[in-house]
Amino acid sequence: MKIKNLIIFGTRPEAIKMAPLVKEFKNNADFETKVCVTAQHREMLDQVLSFFDIEPDYDLNLMKPNQNLYSLTADIITEMKSVLDDFQPDFIYVHGDTTTTMAASIAGFYSGAKVCHVEAGLRTHNKRSPFPEEINRQVTGRIADYHFAPTEQSKSNLISESVAEKDILVTGNTVIDALLDSSERVTKIENDEIESLKNIVDTNKRLILVTGHRRENHGQGFINICEALKEIAVVNSDVQIIYPVHLNPNVKGPVYEILSGIDNIKLIDPLAYPAFVWLMTQSYMIITDSGGVQEEAPSLGKPVLVMRDTTERPEAVDAGTVILVGTNKNKIVSEAQNLLTDTQRYQMMSALHNPYGDGKACQRIVQFIKQNSNI
Ligand code: UD1
Ligand code: UDP
């Protein structure tokens, strides 16, 4: 009898990081693997599903405009019941730290399935930063039966919370599996989005790529970020800033209000994954509050300024590939100026070294589940 897997995700980054696991399980005849999307994100999720050719078996279609955490959490738990009743999986897989992750792991636990947490053990130990992600992943960590930790550091966080060592596997981050697969595919396929980006990128200027969305940065944080970007653009006429703006209205609002109409700043819609990867390769540096982008950039040799005060990804800071700048305008501007002018520092930061994995995380997860299934 085949082992029944249900892989559950809802947002863009979860989809990117779970896509290679879907592929790895579907290619293995010992498993019957189905995909359930909560669609906590809609358009940004669909971009990923389409690139990775994933057709969900269950689509809860839950996203609402400017949704709140209370109703989203309740909706996910409630709607997961019929999916779990219908498929009766042996294992469910959740990823990272979103509301989908936390709520789906609670639902999976209620169903009696074994709960597997991919990208387990990241911690800031500050429950308000990132908000609500730190608590989402801690709750998921309490529930999970198996923990797939991307690094030794994330494993040791779990050990210090008394998780049994036998239930933890250090795998590397599945984002590297996705990145390696995609950067290879991007060179082989015709991609209209990349072709039209070529008309936007000014090859005479150094490109700064920007993304941002964190809830704890909403409000004054985003105003500071935008003021900093404006100053960087005005002071450096040899720089072009391209910013694919997250669809959250709390982000889109201030970004378009403060940054529209500046010659060397281009505000664009979120890009599909291959186009975003291509744009990263074209950039001089990246300014972001994204978790995933911090993990990808070192593979591409791009220095990153991280607009956060805390990090659950100390490996990149230790490796010297990222610098935490928070949302302080002066700090963002001065660190950016530094990288634009200090060539030696720039070269040191862009030296290729990725602490997050070798692209074989999903193979390791599948092997582990085979060894731990006495079904
Ligand atoms: C969510 C996750 C965050 C993750 C991020 C990745 C939570 C609480 N937050 O934050 O951990 O890092 O995704 O991007 O789980 N929207 C659209 N279309 C989309 C996506 C979003 O219109 O495809 C708009 C909607 O108005 C939606 C709003 O953005 O209500 C917020 O979406 P939500 O998933 O609640 O929060 P994010 O900030 O995207
Ligand atoms: N990304 C993308 N298109 C974009 C911006 C980002 O495909 O326009 C990808 C990026 O390569 C990374 C992921 O989305 O893999 C990060 O998502 P996000 O920043 O929304 O979430 P986080 O990683 O912070 O949870």
Side-chain angles (χ1 to χ4, degrees), residues 11-13 16-17 41 44 47-48 97-98 175 211 213-214 244 246 269-274 276-277 280 288-293 296 313:
T11 66
R12 169 176 69 191
I16 291 168
K17 290 168 164 184
H41 283 174
M44 287 159 58
Q47 284 181 317
V48 183
D97 53 21
T98 69
V175 78
T211 75
H213 66 82
R214 301 238 80 87
H246 194 288
D269 282 339
L271 293 165
Y273 188 57
F276 187 77
V277 170
M280 281 198 286
T288 187
D289 65 15
S290 162
V293 174
E296 292 160 341
R313 294 177 170 85

PDB file of all heavy atoms in Angstrom, residues 11-13 16-17 41 44 47-48 97-98 175 211 213-214 244 246 269-274 276-277 280 288-293 296 313, ligand 2:
ATOM      1  N   THR A  11       1.152  30.547   0.429  1.00  0.00           N
ATOM      2  CA  THR A  11       1.716  31.821  -0.037  1.00  0.00           C
ATOM      3  C   THR A  11       2.816  31.570  -1.070  1.00  0.00           C
ATOM      4  O   THR A  11       3.287  30.439  -1.217  1.00  0.00           O
ATOM      5  CB  THR A  11       2.341  32.609   1.141  1.00  0.00           C
ATOM      6  OG1 THR A  11       3.477  31.879   1.628  1.00  0.00           O
ATOM      7  CG2 THR A  11       1.345  32.841   2.272  1.00  0.00           C
ATOM      8  N   ARG A  12       3.246  32.656  -1.708  1.00  0.00           N
ATOM      9  CA  ARG A  12       4.313  32.543  -2.723  1.00  0.00           C
ATOM     10  C   ARG A  12       5.557  31.832  -2.213  1.00  0.00           C
ATOM     11  O   ARG A  12       5.999  30.847  -2.848  1.00  0.00           O
ATOM     12  CB  ARG A  12       4.667  33.946  -3.231  1.00  0.00           C
ATOM     13  CG  ARG A  12       5.941  33.979  -4.075  1.00  0.00           C
ATOM     14  CD  ARG A  12       6.203  35.356  -4.650  1.00  0.00           C
ATOM     15  NE  ARG A  12       6.575  36.334  -3.660  1.00  0.00           N
ATOM     16  CZ  ARG A  12       6.649  37.644  -3.879  1.00  0.00           C
ATOM     17  NH1 ARG A  12       6.359  38.129  -5.078  1.00  0.00           N
ATOM     18  NH2 ARG A  12       7.004  38.482  -2.932  1.00  0.00           N
ATOM     19  N   PRO A  13       6.172  32.290  -1.088  1.00  0.00           N
ATOM     20  CA  PRO A  13       7.437  31.631  -0.720  1.00  0.00           C
ATOM     21  C   PRO A  13       7.264  30.162  -0.338  1.00  0.00           C
ATOM     22  O   PRO A  13       8.138  29.330  -0.648  1.00  0.00           O
ATOM     23  CB  PRO A  13       7.939  32.459   0.472  1.00  0.00           C
ATOM     24  CG  PRO A  13       6.742  33.180   0.989  1.00  0.00           C
ATOM     25  CD  PRO A  13       5.865  33.415  -0.208  1.00  0.00           C
ATOM     26  N   ILE A  16       7.164  28.213  -3.608  1.00  0.00           N
ATOM     27  CA  ILE A  16       8.483  28.066  -4.254  1.00  0.00           C
ATOM     28  C   ILE A  16       9.288  26.984  -3.528  1.00  0.00           C
ATOM     29  O   ILE A  16       9.919  26.130  -4.149  1.00  0.00           O
ATOM     30  CB  ILE A  16       9.239  29.423  -4.236  1.00  0.00           C
ATOM     31  CG1 ILE A  16       8.546  30.422  -5.167  1.00  0.00           C
ATOM     32  CG2 ILE A  16      10.714  29.243  -4.618  1.00  0.00           C
ATOM     33  CD1 ILE A  16       9.020  31.861  -5.032  1.00  0.00           C
ATOM     34  N   LYS A  17       9.231  27.016  -2.194  1.00  0.00           N
ATOM     35  CA  LYS A  17      10.081  26.118  -1.410  1.00  0.00           C
ATOM     36  C   LYS A  17       9.489  24.704  -1.309  1.00  0.00           C
ATOM     37  O   LYS A  17      10.199  23.758  -0.961  1.00  0.00           O
ATOM     38  CB  LYS A  17      10.300  26.721  -0.023  1.00  0.00           C
ATOM     39  CG  LYS A  17      11.194  27.978  -0.078  1.00  0.00           C
ATOM     40  CD  LYS A  17      11.168  28.745   1.236  1.00  0.00           C
ATOM     41  CE  LYS A  17      12.316  29.731   1.345  1.00  0.00           C
ATOM     42  NZ  LYS A  17      12.355  30.401   2.663  1.00  0.00           N
ATOM     43  N   HIS A  41      -2.459  33.429  -0.446  1.00  0.00           N
ATOM     44  CA  HIS A  41      -2.179  34.330  -1.566  1.00  0.00           C
ATOM     45  C   HIS A  41      -2.919  33.780  -2.769  1.00  0.00           C
ATOM     46  O   HIS A  41      -3.026  32.568  -2.917  1.00  0.00           O
ATOM     47  CB  HIS A  41      -0.689  34.343  -1.912  1.00  0.00           C
ATOM     48  CG  HIS A  41       0.158  35.156  -0.980  1.00  0.00           C
ATOM     49  ND1 HIS A  41       1.525  35.181  -1.084  1.00  0.00           N
ATOM     50  CD2 HIS A  41      -0.159  35.963   0.062  1.00  0.00           C
ATOM     51  CE1 HIS A  41       2.020  35.981  -0.135  1.00  0.00           C
ATOM     52  NE2 HIS A  41       1.017  36.457   0.576  1.00  0.00           N
ATOM     53  N   MET A  44      -0.150  35.740  -6.483  1.00  0.00           N
ATOM     54  CA  MET A  44       1.274  35.453  -6.282  1.00  0.00           C
ATOM     55  C   MET A  44       1.520  33.952  -6.107  1.00  0.00           C
ATOM     56  O   MET A  44       2.604  33.454  -6.421  1.00  0.00           O
ATOM     57  CB  MET A  44       1.807  36.251  -5.085  1.00  0.00           C
ATOM     58  CG  MET A  44       1.961  37.737  -5.416  1.00  0.00           C
ATOM     59  SD  MET A  44       2.010  38.831  -3.973  1.00  0.00           S
ATOM     60  CE  MET A  44       3.379  38.194  -3.056  1.00  0.00           C
ATOM     61  N   GLN A  47       1.183  32.369  -9.807  1.00  0.00           N
ATOM     62  CA  GLN A  47       2.401  32.541 -10.621  1.00  0.00           C
ATOM     63  C   GLN A  47       3.347  31.362 -10.398  1.00  0.00           C
ATOM     64  O   GLN A  47       3.943  30.847 -11.346  1.00  0.00           O
ATOM     65  CB  GLN A  47       3.146  33.823 -10.182  1.00  0.00           C
ATOM     66  CG  GLN A  47       2.534  35.127 -10.660  1.00  0.00           C
ATOM     67  CD  GLN A  47       3.358  36.331 -10.180  1.00  0.00           C
ATOM     68  OE1 GLN A  47       3.803  36.384  -9.031  1.00  0.00           O
ATOM     69  NE2 GLN A  47       3.563  37.294 -11.053  1.00  0.00           N
ATOM     70  N   VAL A  48       3.465  30.927  -9.137  1.00  0.00           N
ATOM     71  CA  VAL A  48       4.406  29.843  -8.822  1.00  0.00           C
ATOM     72  C   VAL A  48       3.868  28.500  -9.315  1.00  0.00           C
ATOM     73  O   VAL A  48       4.593  27.697  -9.911  1.00  0.00           O
ATOM     74  CB  VAL A  48       4.686  29.779  -7.296  1.00  0.00           C
ATOM     75  CG1 VAL A  48       5.724  28.708  -6.990  1.00  0.00           C
ATOM     76  CG2 VAL A  48       5.131  31.129  -6.761  1.00  0.00           C
ATOM     77  N   ASP A  97       6.600  29.393   8.279  1.00  0.00           N
ATOM     78  CA  ASP A  97       6.067  30.166   9.409  1.00  0.00           C
ATOM     79  C   ASP A  97       4.875  31.059   9.076  1.00  0.00           C
ATOM     80  O   ASP A  97       4.669  32.083   9.737  1.00  0.00           O
ATOM     81  CB  ASP A  97       7.200  31.025   9.978  1.00  0.00           C
ATOM     82  CG  ASP A  97       7.875  31.880   8.910  1.00  0.00           C
ATOM     83  OD1 ASP A  97       7.245  32.105   7.863  1.00  0.00           O
ATOM     84  OD2 ASP A  97       9.018  32.313   9.127  1.00  0.00           O
ATOM     85  N   THR A  98       4.125  30.724   8.055  1.00  0.00           N
ATOM     86  CA  THR A  98       2.983  31.587   7.727  1.00  0.00           C
ATOM     87  C   THR A  98       1.749  31.139   8.530  1.00  0.00           C
ATOM     88  O   THR A  98       1.777  30.127   9.237  1.00  0.00           O
ATOM     89  CB  THR A  98       2.631  31.502   6.230  1.00  0.00           C
ATOM     90  OG1 THR A  98       2.088  30.204   5.983  1.00  0.00           O
ATOM     91  CG2 THR A  98       3.848  31.739   5.346  1.00  0.00           C
ATOM     92  N   VAL A 175      14.775  25.894  -0.754  1.00  0.00           N
ATOM     93  CA  VAL A 175      14.805  27.025  -1.699  1.00  0.00           C
ATOM     94  C   VAL A 175      15.993  26.886  -2.654  1.00  0.00           C
ATOM     95  O   VAL A 175      15.929  27.332  -3.798  1.00  0.00           O
ATOM     96  CB  VAL A 175      14.855  28.392  -0.960  1.00  0.00           C
ATOM     97  CG1 VAL A 175      16.244  28.723  -0.443  1.00  0.00           C
ATOM     98  CG2 VAL A 175      14.348  29.523  -1.851  1.00  0.00           C
ATOM     99  N   THR A 211      12.721  44.349  -2.482  1.00  0.00           N
ATOM    100  CA  THR A 211      11.401  43.780  -2.164  1.00  0.00           C
ATOM    101  C   THR A 211      11.126  44.022  -0.685  1.00  0.00           C
ATOM    102  O   THR A 211      12.067  44.233   0.095  1.00  0.00           O
ATOM    103  CB  THR A 211      11.272  42.255  -2.412  1.00  0.00           C
ATOM    104  OG1 THR A 211      11.949  41.540  -1.377  1.00  0.00           O
ATOM    105  CG2 THR A 211      11.781  41.831  -3.772  1.00  0.00           C
ATOM    106  N   HIS A 213       7.774  43.348   2.574  1.00  0.00           N
ATOM    107  CA  HIS A 213       6.372  43.080   2.891  1.00  0.00           C
ATOM    108  C   HIS A 213       6.085  42.870   4.371  1.00  0.00           C
ATOM    109  O   HIS A 213       4.928  42.781   4.760  1.00  0.00           O
ATOM    110  CB  HIS A 213       5.907  41.829   2.132  1.00  0.00           C
ATOM    111  CG  HIS A 213       6.593  40.577   2.597  1.00  0.00           C
ATOM    112  ND1 HIS A 213       6.179  39.884   3.706  1.00  0.00           N
ATOM    113  CD2 HIS A 213       7.670  39.922   2.121  1.00  0.00           C
ATOM    114  CE1 HIS A 213       6.979  38.840   3.884  1.00  0.00           C
ATOM    115  NE2 HIS A 213       7.896  38.843   2.936  1.00  0.00           N
ATOM    116  N   ARG A 214       7.096  42.771   5.237  1.00  0.00           N
ATOM    117  CA  ARG A 214       6.865  42.305   6.616  1.00  0.00           C
ATOM    118  C   ARG A 214       5.833  43.130   7.364  1.00  0.00           C
ATOM    119  O   ARG A 214       5.868  44.357   7.345  1.00  0.00           O
ATOM    120  CB  ARG A 214       8.170  42.319   7.428  1.00  0.00           C
ATOM    121  CG  ARG A 214       9.272  41.467   6.843  1.00  0.00           C
ATOM    122  CD  ARG A 214       9.728  40.418   7.826  1.00  0.00           C
ATOM    123  NE  ARG A 214       8.817  39.304   7.820  1.00  0.00           N
ATOM    124  CZ  ARG A 214       8.906  38.265   6.988  1.00  0.00           C
ATOM    125  NH1 ARG A 214       9.857  38.186   6.097  1.00  0.00           N
ATOM    126  NH2 ARG A 214       8.028  37.295   7.050  1.00  0.00           N
ATOM    127  N   PRO A 244       9.752  45.247  -7.512  1.00  0.00           N
ATOM    128  CA  PRO A 244       8.480  44.527  -7.736  1.00  0.00           C
ATOM    129  C   PRO A 244       7.670  44.584  -6.433  1.00  0.00           C
ATOM    130  O   PRO A 244       8.061  43.976  -5.445  1.00  0.00           O
ATOM    131  CB  PRO A 244       8.911  43.087  -8.045  1.00  0.00           C
ATOM    132  CG  PRO A 244      10.412  43.098  -8.132  1.00  0.00           C
ATOM    133  CD  PRO A 244      10.882  44.302  -7.375  1.00  0.00           C
ATOM    134  N   HIS A 246       5.014  44.110  -3.584  1.00  0.00           N
ATOM    135  CA  HIS A 246       4.106  43.105  -3.013  1.00  0.00           C
ATOM    136  C   HIS A 246       2.669  43.627  -3.096  1.00  0.00           C
ATOM    137  O   HIS A 246       2.423  44.830  -2.953  1.00  0.00           O
ATOM    138  CB  HIS A 246       4.529  42.878  -1.555  1.00  0.00           C
ATOM    139  CG  HIS A 246       3.933  41.665  -0.894  1.00  0.00           C
ATOM    140  ND1 HIS A 246       2.609  41.603  -0.532  1.00  0.00           N
ATOM    141  CD2 HIS A 246       4.479  40.487  -0.524  1.00  0.00           C
ATOM    142  CE1 HIS A 246       2.370  40.428   0.048  1.00  0.00           C
ATOM    143  NE2 HIS A 246       3.491  39.725   0.060  1.00  0.00           N
ATOM    144  N   ASP A 269       4.862  45.212 -10.931  1.00  0.00           N
ATOM    145  CA  ASP A 269       4.087  44.180 -10.238  1.00  0.00           C
ATOM    146  C   ASP A 269       5.016  43.034  -9.806  1.00  0.00           C
ATOM    147  O   ASP A 269       6.095  42.868 -10.391  1.00  0.00           O
ATOM    148  CB  ASP A 269       3.006  43.618 -11.165  1.00  0.00           C
ATOM    149  CG  ASP A 269       1.825  44.565 -11.255  1.00  0.00           C
ATOM    150  OD1 ASP A 269       1.658  45.408 -10.339  1.00  0.00           O
ATOM    151  OD2 ASP A 269       1.080  44.474 -12.247  1.00  0.00           O
ATOM    152  N   PRO A 270       4.564  42.212  -8.847  1.00  0.00           N
ATOM    153  CA  PRO A 270       5.380  41.040  -8.485  1.00  0.00           C
ATOM    154  C   PRO A 270       5.701  40.223  -9.734  1.00  0.00           C
ATOM    155  O   PRO A 270       4.868  40.084 -10.630  1.00  0.00           O
ATOM    156  CB  PRO A 270       4.458  40.239  -7.564  1.00  0.00           C
ATOM    157  CG  PRO A 270       3.494  41.225  -7.010  1.00  0.00           C
ATOM    158  CD  PRO A 270       3.310  42.273  -8.076  1.00  0.00           C
ATOM    159  N   LEU A 271       6.920  39.699  -9.769  1.00  0.00           N
ATOM    160  CA  LEU A 271       7.351  38.933 -10.941  1.00  0.00           C
ATOM    161  C   LEU A 271       7.162  37.451 -10.690  1.00  0.00           C
ATOM    162  O   LEU A 271       7.290  36.989  -9.542  1.00  0.00           O
ATOM    163  CB  LEU A 271       8.838  39.201 -11.188  1.00  0.00           C
ATOM    164  CG  LEU A 271       9.181  40.620 -11.626  1.00  0.00           C
ATOM    165  CD1 LEU A 271      10.683  40.878 -11.477  1.00  0.00           C
ATOM    166  CD2 LEU A 271       8.744  40.841 -13.073  1.00  0.00           C
ATOM    167  N   ALA A 272       6.923  36.705 -11.749  1.00  0.00           N
ATOM    168  CA  ALA A 272       6.946  35.244 -11.617  1.00  0.00           C
ATOM    169  C   ALA A 272       8.372  34.838 -11.258  1.00  0.00           C
ATOM    170  O   ALA A 272       9.328  35.570 -11.533  1.00  0.00           O
ATOM    171  CB  ALA A 272       6.501  34.594 -12.913  1.00  0.00           C
ATOM    172  N   TYR A 273       8.502  33.665 -10.638  1.00  0.00           N
ATOM    173  CA  TYR A 273       9.790  33.268 -10.057  1.00  0.00           C
ATOM    174  C   TYR A 273      10.971  33.336 -11.043  1.00  0.00           C
ATOM    175  O   TYR A 273      12.014  33.920 -10.710  1.00  0.00           O
ATOM    176  CB  TYR A 273       9.647  31.879  -9.432  1.00  0.00           C
ATOM    177  CG  TYR A 273      10.846  31.441  -8.632  1.00  0.00           C
ATOM    178  CD1 TYR A 273      11.312  32.195  -7.565  1.00  0.00           C
ATOM    179  CD2 TYR A 273      11.524  30.266  -8.946  1.00  0.00           C
ATOM    180  CE1 TYR A 273      12.415  31.792  -6.824  1.00  0.00           C
ATOM    181  CE2 TYR A 273      12.622  29.857  -8.205  1.00  0.00           C
ATOM    182  CZ  TYR A 273      13.069  30.624  -7.147  1.00  0.00           C
ATOM    183  OH  TYR A 273      14.160  30.229  -6.420  1.00  0.00           O
ATOM    184  N   PRO A 274      10.848  32.781 -12.269  1.00  0.00           N
ATOM    185  CA  PRO A 274      12.035  32.798 -13.138  1.00  0.00           C
ATOM    186  C   PRO A 274      12.487  34.216 -13.473  1.00  0.00           C
ATOM    187  O   PRO A 274      13.691  34.487 -13.528  1.00  0.00           O
ATOM    188  CB  PRO A 274      11.588  32.056 -14.404  1.00  0.00           C
ATOM    189  CG  PRO A 274      10.113  32.010 -14.333  1.00  0.00           C
ATOM    190  CD  PRO A 274       9.722  32.085 -12.907  1.00  0.00           C
ATOM    191  N   PHE A 276      12.079  36.838 -11.603  1.00  0.00           N
ATOM    192  CA  PHE A 276      12.693  37.428 -10.410  1.00  0.00           C
ATOM    193  C   PHE A 276      14.124  36.900 -10.249  1.00  0.00           C
ATOM    194  O   PHE A 276      15.047  37.658  -9.941  1.00  0.00           O
ATOM    195  CB  PHE A 276      11.855  37.144  -9.163  1.00  0.00           C
ATOM    196  CG  PHE A 276      12.374  37.880  -7.962  1.00  0.00           C
ATOM    197  CD1 PHE A 276      12.134  39.238  -7.807  1.00  0.00           C
ATOM    198  CD2 PHE A 276      13.136  37.238  -7.002  1.00  0.00           C
ATOM    199  CE1 PHE A 276      12.654  39.946  -6.716  1.00  0.00           C
ATOM    200  CE2 PHE A 276      13.661  37.934  -5.912  1.00  0.00           C
ATOM    201  CZ  PHE A 276      13.407  39.289  -5.764  1.00  0.00           C
ATOM    202  N   VAL A 277      14.298  35.604 -10.486  1.00  0.00           N
ATOM    203  CA  VAL A 277      15.652  35.026 -10.387  1.00  0.00           C
ATOM    204  C   VAL A 277      16.573  35.707 -11.405  1.00  0.00           C
ATOM    205  O   VAL A 277      17.712  36.092 -11.090  1.00  0.00           O
ATOM    206  CB  VAL A 277      15.619  33.490 -10.619  1.00  0.00           C
ATOM    207  CG1 VAL A 277      17.021  32.914 -10.765  1.00  0.00           C
ATOM    208  CG2 VAL A 277      14.886  32.794  -9.466  1.00  0.00           C
ATOM    209  N   MET A 280      17.525  39.074 -10.160  1.00  0.00           N
ATOM    210  CA  MET A 280      18.560  38.988  -9.107  1.00  0.00           C
ATOM    211  C   MET A 280      19.941  38.854  -9.750  1.00  0.00           C
ATOM    212  O   MET A 280      20.891  39.480  -9.300  1.00  0.00           O
ATOM    213  CB  MET A 280      18.298  37.794  -8.177  1.00  0.00           C
ATOM    214  CG  MET A 280      17.217  38.053  -7.150  1.00  0.00           C
ATOM    215  SD  MET A 280      17.267  36.882  -5.769  1.00  0.00           S
ATOM    216  CE  MET A 280      16.620  35.414  -6.503  1.00  0.00           C
ATOM    217  N   THR A 288      16.088  44.222   0.954  1.00  0.00           N
ATOM    218  CA  THR A 288      14.870  43.416   1.123  1.00  0.00           C
ATOM    219  C   THR A 288      14.578  43.153   2.597  1.00  0.00           C
ATOM    220  O   THR A 288      15.475  43.278   3.434  1.00  0.00           O
ATOM    221  CB  THR A 288      15.041  42.059   0.390  1.00  0.00           C
ATOM    222  OG1 THR A 288      13.816  41.339   0.416  1.00  0.00           O
ATOM    223  CG2 THR A 288      16.106  41.190   1.028  1.00  0.00           C
ATOM    224  N   ASP A 289      13.329  42.789   2.896  1.00  0.00           N
ATOM    225  CA  ASP A 289      13.053  42.225   4.226  1.00  0.00           C
ATOM    226  C   ASP A 289      12.629  40.759   4.088  1.00  0.00           C
ATOM    227  O   ASP A 289      12.159  40.131   5.026  1.00  0.00           O
ATOM    228  CB  ASP A 289      12.004  43.050   4.994  1.00  0.00           C
ATOM    229  CG  ASP A 289      10.622  43.040   4.342  1.00  0.00           C
ATOM    230  OD1 ASP A 289      10.362  42.192   3.462  1.00  0.00           O
ATOM    231  OD2 ASP A 289       9.786  43.876   4.737  1.00  0.00           O
ATOM    232  N   SER A 290      12.792  40.212   2.882  1.00  0.00           N
ATOM    233  CA  SER A 290      12.333  38.852   2.585  1.00  0.00           C
ATOM    234  C   SER A 290      13.259  37.793   3.182  1.00  0.00           C
ATOM    235  O   SER A 290      14.488  37.929   3.138  1.00  0.00           O
ATOM    236  CB  SER A 290      12.296  38.672   1.064  1.00  0.00           C
ATOM    237  OG  SER A 290      12.263  37.312   0.736  1.00  0.00           O
ATOM    238  N   GLY A 291      12.648  36.715   3.693  1.00  0.00           N
ATOM    239  CA  GLY A 291      13.447  35.602   4.170  1.00  0.00           C
ATOM    240  C   GLY A 291      14.073  34.843   3.009  1.00  0.00           C
ATOM    241  O   GLY A 291      15.281  34.610   2.965  1.00  0.00           O
ATOM    242  N   GLY A 292      13.236  34.480   2.033  1.00  0.00           N
ATOM    243  CA  GLY A 292      13.693  33.649   0.924  1.00  0.00           C
ATOM    244  C   GLY A 292      14.793  34.324   0.105  1.00  0.00           C
ATOM    245  O   GLY A 292      15.773  33.676  -0.280  1.00  0.00           O
ATOM    246  N   VAL A 293      14.636  35.613  -0.129  1.00  0.00           N
ATOM    247  CA  VAL A 293      15.627  36.310  -0.958  1.00  0.00           C
ATOM    248  C   VAL A 293      16.997  36.304  -0.273  1.00  0.00           C
ATOM    249  O   VAL A 293      18.029  36.125  -0.926  1.00  0.00           O
ATOM    250  CB  VAL A 293      15.154  37.760  -1.279  1.00  0.00           C
ATOM    251  CG1 VAL A 293      16.234  38.527  -2.015  1.00  0.00           C
ATOM    252  CG2 VAL A 293      13.861  37.734  -2.081  1.00  0.00           C
ATOM    253  N   GLU A 296      18.534  33.016  -1.101  1.00  0.00           N
ATOM    254  CA  GLU A 296      18.898  32.799  -2.509  1.00  0.00           C
ATOM    255  C   GLU A 296      20.116  33.622  -2.934  1.00  0.00           C
ATOM    256  O   GLU A 296      20.976  33.144  -3.685  1.00  0.00           O
ATOM    257  CB  GLU A 296      17.712  33.197  -3.409  1.00  0.00           C
ATOM    258  CG  GLU A 296      16.525  32.287  -3.265  1.00  0.00           C
ATOM    259  CD  GLU A 296      15.214  32.923  -3.755  1.00  0.00           C
ATOM    260  OE1 GLU A 296      15.144  34.163  -3.880  1.00  0.00           O
ATOM    261  OE2 GLU A 296      14.267  32.171  -3.998  1.00  0.00           O
ATOM    262  N   ARG A 313      17.930  34.058  10.579  1.00  0.00           N
ATOM    263  CA  ARG A 313      18.876  33.496   9.606  1.00  0.00           C
ATOM    264  C   ARG A 313      20.285  34.032   9.891  1.00  0.00           C
ATOM    265  O   ARG A 313      20.865  34.755   9.078  1.00  0.00           O
ATOM    266  CB  ARG A 313      18.428  33.853   8.187  1.00  0.00           C
ATOM    267  CG  ARG A 313      17.109  33.176   7.812  1.00  0.00           C
ATOM    268  CD  ARG A 313      16.615  33.584   6.439  1.00  0.00           C
ATOM    269  NE  ARG A 313      15.495  32.762   6.020  1.00  0.00           N
ATOM    270  CZ  ARG A 313      14.222  32.992   6.353  1.00  0.00           C
ATOM    271  NH1 ARG A 313      13.903  34.036   7.110  1.00  0.00           N
ATOM    272  NH2 ARG A 313      13.269  32.185   5.925  1.00  0.00           N
TER     273      ARG A 313
HETATM  274  N1  UDP B   2       9.947  36.393  -5.494  1.00  0.00           N
HETATM  275  C1  UDP B   2       9.278  36.244  -6.700  1.00  0.00           C
HETATM  276  N2  UDP B   2       8.811  37.373  -7.340  1.00  0.00           N
HETATM  277  C2  UDP B   2       8.967  38.619  -6.811  1.00  0.00           C
HETATM  278  C3  UDP B   2       9.634  38.751  -5.561  1.00  0.00           C
HETATM  279  C4  UDP B   2      10.104  37.607  -4.926  1.00  0.00           C
HETATM  280  O1  UDP B   2       9.120  35.134  -7.212  1.00  0.00           O
HETATM  281  O2  UDP B   2       8.532  39.603  -7.444  1.00  0.00           O
HETATM  282  C5  UDP B   2      10.420  35.168  -4.805  1.00  0.00           C
HETATM  283  C6  UDP B   2      11.832  35.179  -4.264  1.00  0.00           C
HETATM  284  O3  UDP B   2      12.749  34.705  -5.217  1.00  0.00           O
HETATM  285  C7  UDP B   2      11.741  34.274  -3.035  1.00  0.00           C
HETATM  286  C8  UDP B   2      10.314  34.440  -2.573  1.00  0.00           C
HETATM  287  O4  UDP B   2       9.593  35.023  -3.656  1.00  0.00           O
HETATM  288  O5  UDP B   2      11.919  32.908  -3.374  1.00  0.00           O
HETATM  289  C9  UDP B   2      10.243  35.334  -1.360  1.00  0.00           C
HETATM  290  O6  UDP B   2       8.911  35.663  -1.081  1.00  0.00           O
HETATM  291  P1  UDP B   2       8.521  36.777  -0.036  1.00  0.00           P
HETATM  292  O7  UDP B   2       9.599  37.802   0.048  1.00  0.00           O
HETATM  293  O8  UDP B   2       7.168  37.240  -0.413  1.00  0.00           O
HETATM  294  O9  UDP B   2       8.373  35.969   1.329  1.00  0.00           O
HETATM  295  P2  UDP B   2       9.397  35.541   2.490  1.00  0.00           P
HETATM  296  O10 UDP B   2      10.513  34.766   1.881  1.00  0.00           O
HETATM  297  O11 UDP B   2       9.854  36.787   3.184  1.00  0.00           O
HETATM  298  O12 UDP B   2       8.547  34.714   3.404  1.00  0.00           O
END
